[in-house]
Amino acid sequence: MGVGGSFWDLLKPYARHEGAGYLRGRRVAVDLSFWVVSHSTAIRARSPGARKPHLRNTFFRTLSLFAKMGAFPVFVVDGQPSPLKSQARAARFFRGSGMDLAALPSTEAESSGAATPVKGKNAAFTRCVEECVELLEYLGMPVLWAKGEAEALCAQLNNEGHVDACITADSDAFLFGAKTVIKVLKSNCKEPFECYNIADIEAGLGLKRKQMVAMALLIGSDHDLHGVPGFGLETALRFVQLFDEVEILDKLREIGRGVYPFLEGLDNPQINDLPSSSTKGSIVKSPHCSHCGHPGSKKNHSKVGCNYCLVDALENCMEKLAGFKCECPSCEKARDLKEQRKHENWQIKVCRRIAAETNFPNEEIIKLYLSDDNLDKEKGVPLLSWNKPDVEALVDFLTYSQNWEPSYIRQRMLPMLSTIYLREVASSPSTSLLLYDQYEFDSIQRIKIRHGHPYYLVKWKRGTWGMNSSISSKKPVAEGETSSEVVVLDEDEEDAVVCESSELLDEPDVPQVLTDDGCCFLLTDEDIQLVSSAFPKETARFQEQQVGNGCFLCYDIENMHDTCRAILI
């Protein structure tokens, strides 16, 4: 949720839809709970019999984010929620179940560890998160533990420059200091990222961090479901925009003490001493003609005419139209004074609503949002490093938890392993490496456009036996056979993969397996820049072939002809 009152709808006009390459080479903090909750629900809706959908979603999403999109994800896990959030969560549970809110435990009871009806539900969810953490560790992904809310630590990492963006659906990430938030991630489309940048929000709405905190105090949030009665999204926005970021929280404190902040020259004017409506100034209008509506009386116009109608007699004076508005200085001044009174009355009204709240603003909520100490140091402070996945441990884990075939798991891992392999070769070109200890780079087959983004279709050749001592005792596997050491699927397993992939969200493309002259090859989609860095000579050779085959623009991926793109798809 985050901030109440459909806060995301307010930010929606300032969203940017970015392409698949947006996060390539960038670090991104992922709110793990957001992934577990939202996408597990979606998978259950599509496949009611799904076995541990939180693991399946986390597995495929991580592979897609790391391999297909080239990002470096950092996963953040929720810590102990604040007593205020626990209270709000219990209130939401009581309300949804129709239970008496009078039985709701206090924040003191929450902080002392008193049991609530949501404890069992949270325990089950915690087990799901722990299983996902175990999976991510096998994948070599860094996992950080937040002291409180995961989006708070994601935002802190983003604000301090450790990551380039946050992936979360909680709008209060901006209140915690986030600069870039990715709310929607759909990997299998042309523009998979729905991004919100704080700079765009500031430019469009004039809202900065503390002003958003003020809005959360007024309309409610995860820590206070109710906010101030009578405050909706538009009212809160209009009120907060009256003050700049430096003074907004202090002004709310003044109003909470009953001090009216809009009268200058008076020492602490009390809100309760103000009149119910402003009587400042009096509206005095000059007489106007009832026929044409312009300044001057009807009698005077009949004698000397109307200067605005530019006639000499009333019978030629124009009759005013429906909705006529006089633009004379007297009417303009009267309208301005009327609007000023209306605005002042509105200010008095909303200030009285705020002042009527007990202990407003809640300083504990302000402290939570503005804190920069969100890392649970008791869990350790690991460096943000991405390790090689422990494939065998991962295979054992998913075989047991998901009942998947080992060959199925290994094949799904190949996009991630090929990405790691290309990065290692690019950083150490002289190193002799084999993909999965079995395949070596052979050639670039062609350019492939996937969801509007170009990739190289790379051909990998099965390495010569005896090249690697770890597989020197293994013999080749004939076509149609399978082995735990060779990433090849038989026909039955391929049918199972097709069946299952139709139900999965964001599952990466399956590498193609082919045989040619007795040799086993893999075909995988790889990032163009990454392949160019790892194998510059082979890339140059392929580009020369592209130029020689016809359209020289195909050498420049960004300026490729539409007809050429259609052919390459």
Side-chain angles (χ1 to χ4, degrees):
M1 173 185 164
V3 183
S6 301
F7 192 67
W8 278 120
D9 292 341
L10 178 66
L11 307 182
K12 185 74 173 180
Y14 309 100
R16 295 188 182 189
H17 296 275
E18 303 288 354
Y22 173 69
L23 287 180
R24 190 162 298 282
R26 297 184 178 183
R27 298 180 175 188
V28 57
V30 180
D31 180 352
L32 183 58
S33 297
F34 164 56
W35 271 17
V36 172
V37 172
S38 59
H39 302 292
S40 294
T41 303
I43 290 177
R44 280 199 180 95
R46 297 175 60 178
S47 180
R51 183 174 183 178
K52 296 192 176 183
H54 56 283
L55 287 178
R56 183 166 65 174
N57 172 72
T58 302
F59 177 67
F60 286 114
R61 280 243 153 173
T62 303
L63 294 185
S64 180
L65 194 60
F66 184 85
K68 182 191 297 186
M69 301 177 184
F72 291 87
V74 180
F75 291 88
V76 180
V77 182
D78 283 308
Q80 185 68 28
S82 68
L84 284 173
K85 184 166 185 177
S86 298
Q87 177 83 355
R89 183 186 295 165
R92 190 182 292 119
F93 175 84
F94 273 62
R95 183 191 303 167
S97 59
M99 298 175 67
D100 185 7
L101 291 178
L104 187 67
S106 64
T107 55
E108 290 79 7
E110 284 286 338
S111 60
S112 64
T116 67
V118 294
K119 290 290 186 181
K121 181 180 177 181
N122 290 341
F125 179 75
T126 299
R127 286 195 296 271
C128 292
V129 172
E130 289 173 349
E131 290 176 340
C132 290
V133 169
E134 185 177 359
L135 171 66
L136 292 168
E137 289 175 346
Y138 289 142
L139 287 169
M141 298 292 110
V143 178
L144 301 180
W145 296 81
K147 182 181 295 185
E149 297 185 64
E151 66 267 24
L153 181 53
C154 289
Q156 181 180 336
L157 293 171
N158 186 208
N159 187 280
E160 295 176 356
H162 300 295
V163 299
D164 301 290
C166 309
I167 297 180
T168 181
D170 284 322
S171 55
D172 56 4
F174 290 111
L175 284 63
F176 286 114
K179 296 180 179 179
T180 301
V181 173
I182 299 174
K183 178 176 180 280
V184 178
L185 168 59
K186 300 177 181 178
S187 62
N188 292 327
C189 65
K190 187 174 182 179
E191 294 180 334
F193 301 110
E194 182 180 305
C195 303
Y196 296 81
N197 295 305
I198 189 63
D200 296 334
I201 297 171
E202 289 179 8
L205 294 173
L207 292 180
K208 295 185 178 181
R209 181 179 178 183
K210 290 183 179 180
Q211 290 165 314
M212 292 185 184
V213 172
M215 289 193 67
L217 293 168
L218 294 172
I219 62 179
S221 65
D222 285 341
H223 309 283
D224 175 17
L225 298 182
H226 306 290
V228 177
F231 269 85
L233 193 62
E234 294 183 3
T235 302
L237 176 63
R238 179 182 172 189
F239 184 78
V240 166
Q241 287 175 332
L242 297 175
F243 310 99
D244 59 34
E245 186 190 31
V246 176
E247 63 178 356
I248 178 63
L249 295 179
D250 288 335
K251 291 296 183 181
L252 288 182
R253 293 183 179 102
E254 288 182 9
I255 299 171
R257 296 194 303 268
V259 177
Y260 187 66
F262 297 106
L263 291 180
E264 298 180 357
L266 297 179
D267 186 20
N268 294 336
Q270 296 298 306
I271 294 175
N272 292 332
D273 296 336
L274 297 175
S276 58
S277 61
S278 174
T279 57
K280 179 181 178 181
S282 58
I283 302 175
V284 179
K285 287 180 59 176
S286 60
H288 281 59
C289 175
S290 60
H291 183 71
C292 68
H294 291 135
S297 65
K298 182 176 180 181
K299 181 178 180 180
N300 190 46
H301 281 189
S302 64
K303 293 181 179 180
V304 299
C306 175
N307 292 331
Y308 289 85
C309 295
L310 300 179
V311 294
D312 297 329
L314 177 62
E315 51 268 19
N316 294 321
C317 196
M318 296 183 296
E319 184 176 2
K320 61 183 178 181
L321 301 175
F324 170 80
K325 184 191 298 185
C326 180
E327 302 295 339
C328 73
S330 174
C331 288
E332 287 285 357
K333 183 177 180 180
R335 279 194 293 270
D336 290 344
L337 184 57
K338 184 178 180 180
E339 285 298 318
Q340 181 181 348
R341 283 185 180 178
K342 183 179 178 181
H343 182 63
E344 290 174 352
N345 292 336
W346 176 81
Q347 289 177 339
I348 294 173
K349 182 179 179 181
V350 296
C351 285
R352 281 181 170 162
R353 287 178 180 171
I354 296 173
E357 288 295 295
T358 305
N359 298 324
F360 185 90
N362 190 316
E363 294 294 341
E364 187 176 349
I365 295 178
I366 296 175
K367 183 180 178 180
L368 280 171
Y369 281 133
L370 300 183
S371 173
D372 57 357
D373 182 23
N374 298 298
L375 181 64
D376 187 354
K377 296 182 174 61
E378 293 183 1
K379 296 279 187 178
V381 188
L383 297 175
L384 297 185
S385 59
W386 290 260
N387 303 317
K388 285 186 177 181
D390 188 341
V391 178
E392 296 309 314
L394 184 66
V395 168
D396 292 340
F397 177 75
L398 292 176
T399 300
Y400 173 77
S401 62
Q402 298 297 94
N403 199 26
W404 289 345
E405 291 293 332
S407 54
Y408 172 83
I409 301 169
R410 290 189 175 90
Q411 190 182 43
R412 264 44 188 185
M413 283 292 298
L414 273 173
M416 182 179 196
L417 297 175
S418 64
T419 297
I420 295 173
Y421 171 82
L422 290 172
R423 287 173 178 168
E424 289 180 341
V425 174
S427 60
S428 302
S430 59
T431 304
S432 178
L433 297 171
L434 288 177
L435 171 60
Y436 206 66
D437 293 331
Q438 297 176 29
Y439 294 91
E440 60 185 353
F441 184 91
D442 182 79
S443 62
I444 301 172
Q445 290 291 96
R446 61 184 176 90
I447 299 171
K448 180 178 179 181
I449 307 298
R450 187 176 63 191
H451 305 301
H453 192 77
Y455 294 85
Y456 278 153
L457 185 63
V458 174
K459 186 177 181 182
W460 305 88
K461 182 180 179 181
R462 180 86 174 279
T464 304
W465 293 105
M467 181 180 295
N468 191 312
S469 59
S470 65
I471 60 174
S472 60
S473 61
K474 306 296 181 182
K475 63 180 181 179
V477 176
E479 183 178 0
E481 295 181 353
T482 60
S483 166
S484 62
E485 298 297 330
V486 180
V487 189
V488 182
L489 296 182
D490 60 26
E491 293 180 359
D492 293 337
E493 285 175 323
E494 286 182 354
D495 292 340
V497 169
V498 172
C499 177
E500 181 151 1
S501 66
S502 65
E503 299 175 352
L504 292 178
L505 297 176
D506 308 306
E507 182 174 350
D509 292 345
V510 180
Q512 303 173 44
V513 183
L514 58 90
T515 56
D516 185 11
D517 292 333
C519 295
C520 183
F521 293 92
L522 290 177
L523 295 177
T524 62
D525 301 337
E526 305 296 346
D527 177 62
I528 288 178
Q529 293 183 353
L530 192 55
V531 175
S532 301
S533 299
F535 298 99
K537 294 181 180 179
E538 291 81 353
T539 303
R541 187 182 307 118
F542 170 76
Q543 292 174 342
E544 291 173 0
Q545 292 174 354
Q546 289 292 100
V547 175
N549 288 337
C551 177
F552 72 92
L553 284 178
C554 290
Y555 180 85
D556 184 358
I557 302 300
E558 299 298 329
N559 297 314
M560 186 181 297
H561 284 151
D562 291 338
T563 53
C564 297
R565 287 182 181 272
I567 293 172
L568 291 172
I569 294 176

Coordinates of all heavy atoms in Angstrom, one line a residue, residues 438-439 459-463 477 486-488 513-522:
Q438 N 31.2 -27.2 -20.4 CA 31.0 -28.1 -21.6 C 31.0 -27.4 -22.9 O 31.3 -28.0 -23.9 CB 29.6 -28.7 -21.4 CG 29.5 -29.6 -20.2 CD 28.1 -30.2 -20.0 OE1 27.4 -30.4 -21.0 NE2 27.7 -30.4 -18.7
Y439 N 30.5 -26.1 -23.0 CA 30.3 -25.5 -24.3 C 31.3 -24.3 -24.4 O 31.5 -23.5 -23.5 CB 28.9 -25.0 -24.4 CG 27.9 -26.1 -24.4 CD1 27.3 -26.6 -23.3 CD2 27.5 -26.7 -25.6 CE1 26.4 -27.7 -23.3 CE2 26.6 -27.8 -25.7 CZ 26.1 -28.2 -24.5 OH 25.2 -29.3 -24.5
K459 N 25.8 -19.1 -31.0 CA 25.9 -20.6 -31.1 C 27.1 -21.0 -30.3 O 28.2 -20.6 -30.4 CB 26.1 -20.9 -32.6 CG 26.1 -22.4 -32.9 CD 26.3 -22.6 -34.4 CE 26.2 -24.1 -34.8 NZ 26.4 -24.2 -36.3
W460 N 26.8 -22.0 -29.4 CA 27.8 -22.6 -28.5 C 28.0 -24.0 -28.9 O 27.1 -24.8 -29.1 CB 27.3 -22.5 -27.1 CG 26.9 -21.2 -26.6 CD1 25.7 -20.6 -26.6 CD2 27.7 -20.2 -25.9 NE1 25.7 -19.4 -26.1 CE2 26.9 -19.1 -25.6 CE3 29.1 -20.2 -25.5 CZ2 27.4 -18.0 -24.9 CZ3 29.6 -19.1 -24.8 CH2 28.7 -18.0 -24.6
K461 N 29.3 -24.4 -29.0 CA 29.7 -25.7 -29.5 C 30.1 -26.5 -28.2 O 30.8 -26.0 -27.4 CB 30.8 -25.7 -30.5 CG 31.2 -27.0 -31.0 CD 32.4 -26.9 -32.0 CE 32.8 -28.3 -32.5 NZ 34.0 -28.1 -33.5
R462 N 29.6 -27.8 -28.2 CA 30.1 -28.7 -27.1 C 31.6 -28.8 -27.2 O 32.2 -29.1 -28.2 CB 29.4 -30.1 -27.4 CG 29.7 -31.1 -26.4 CD 28.8 -31.0 -25.1 NE 29.1 -32.1 -24.2 CZ 28.6 -33.3 -24.4 NH1 27.8 -33.6 -25.4 NH2 28.9 -34.3 -23.5
G463 N 32.2 -28.6 -26.0 CA 33.7 -28.6 -25.9 C 34.3 -30.0 -26.2 O 33.6 -31.0 -26.1
V477 N 26.9 -38.0 -25.0 CA 25.6 -38.6 -24.9 C 25.0 -38.5 -26.3 O 25.0 -37.5 -27.0 CB 24.7 -37.7 -23.9 CG1 23.3 -38.2 -23.9 CG2 25.3 -37.8 -22.5
V486 N 24.8 -33.3 -19.0 CA 24.6 -32.6 -20.3 C 23.2 -32.0 -20.4 O 22.2 -32.6 -20.0 CB 24.8 -33.6 -21.5 CG1 24.6 -32.9 -22.8 CG2 26.1 -34.3 -21.4
V487 N 23.2 -30.7 -20.8 CA 21.9 -30.0 -20.8 C 21.2 -30.3 -22.1 O 21.2 -29.5 -23.0 CB 22.2 -28.5 -20.6 CG1 20.9 -27.8 -20.4 CG2 23.1 -28.3 -19.4
V488 N 20.5 -31.4 -22.2 CA 19.8 -31.8 -23.3 C 18.5 -32.4 -22.8 O 18.5 -33.1 -21.8 CB 20.5 -32.8 -24.2 CG1 19.7 -33.2 -25.4 CG2 21.9 -32.3 -24.6
V513 N 18.5 -26.5 -28.5 CA 19.5 -27.5 -28.6 C 19.5 -28.1 -30.0 O 18.4 -28.5 -30.5 CB 19.3 -28.6 -27.5 CG1 20.4 -29.6 -27.5 CG2 19.2 -28.0 -26.1
L514 N 20.6 -28.2 -30.6 CA 20.7 -28.8 -32.0 C 21.9 -29.7 -32.1 O 22.9 -29.5 -31.4 CB 20.5 -27.8 -33.0 CG 21.6 -26.7 -33.1 CD1 22.7 -27.1 -34.0 CD2 21.0 -25.4 -33.6
T515 N 21.9 -30.6 -33.1 CA 23.1 -31.4 -33.4 C 23.4 -31.1 -34.9 O 22.5 -31.0 -35.7 CB 22.9 -32.8 -33.2 OG1 21.7 -33.3 -33.9 CG2 22.6 -33.1 -31.7
D516 N 24.7 -31.1 -35.2 CA 25.1 -30.8 -36.6 C 26.4 -31.6 -36.8 O 27.4 -31.3 -36.1 CB 25.3 -29.3 -36.8 CG 25.7 -29.0 -38.3 OD1 25.5 -29.9 -39.1 OD2 26.0 -27.8 -38.6
D517 N 26.4 -32.5 -37.7 CA 27.6 -33.4 -38.0 C 28.1 -34.0 -36.8 O 29.4 -34.1 -36.5 CB 28.7 -32.5 -38.7 CG 28.4 -32.0 -40.1 OD1 27.5 -32.7 -40.7 OD2 28.9 -31.0 -40.5
G518 N 27.2 -34.5 -35.9 CA 27.6 -35.2 -34.8 C 28.0 -34.4 -33.6 O 28.4 -34.9 -32.5
C519 N 28.0 -33.0 -33.8 CA 28.4 -32.1 -32.7 C 27.1 -31.5 -32.1 O 26.1 -31.3 -32.7 CB 29.2 -30.9 -33.2 SG 30.8 -31.5 -33.8
C520 N 27.2 -31.3 -30.8 CA 26.0 -30.7 -30.0 C 26.2 -29.2 -29.9 O 27.3 -28.8 -29.5 CB 25.9 -31.4 -28.7 SG 24.5 -30.9 -27.7
F521 N 25.2 -28.5 -30.2 CA 25.2 -27.0 -30.1 C 24.1 -26.5 -29.3 O 23.0 -27.1 -29.2 CB 25.2 -26.4 -31.5 CG 26.3 -26.6 -32.4 CD1 26.3 -27.7 -33.2 CD2 27.5 -25.8 -32.3 CE1 27.4 -28.0 -34.1 CE2 28.5 -26.1 -33.2 CZ 28.5 -27.2 -34.0
L522 N 24.3 -25.3 -28.7 CA 23.3 -24.5 -28.0 C 23.1 -23.2 -28.7 O 24.1 -22.6 -29.2 CB 23.6 -24.3 -26.5 CG 23.6 -25.4 -25.5 CD1 24.1 -24.9 -24.2 CD2 22.3 -26.1 -25.5

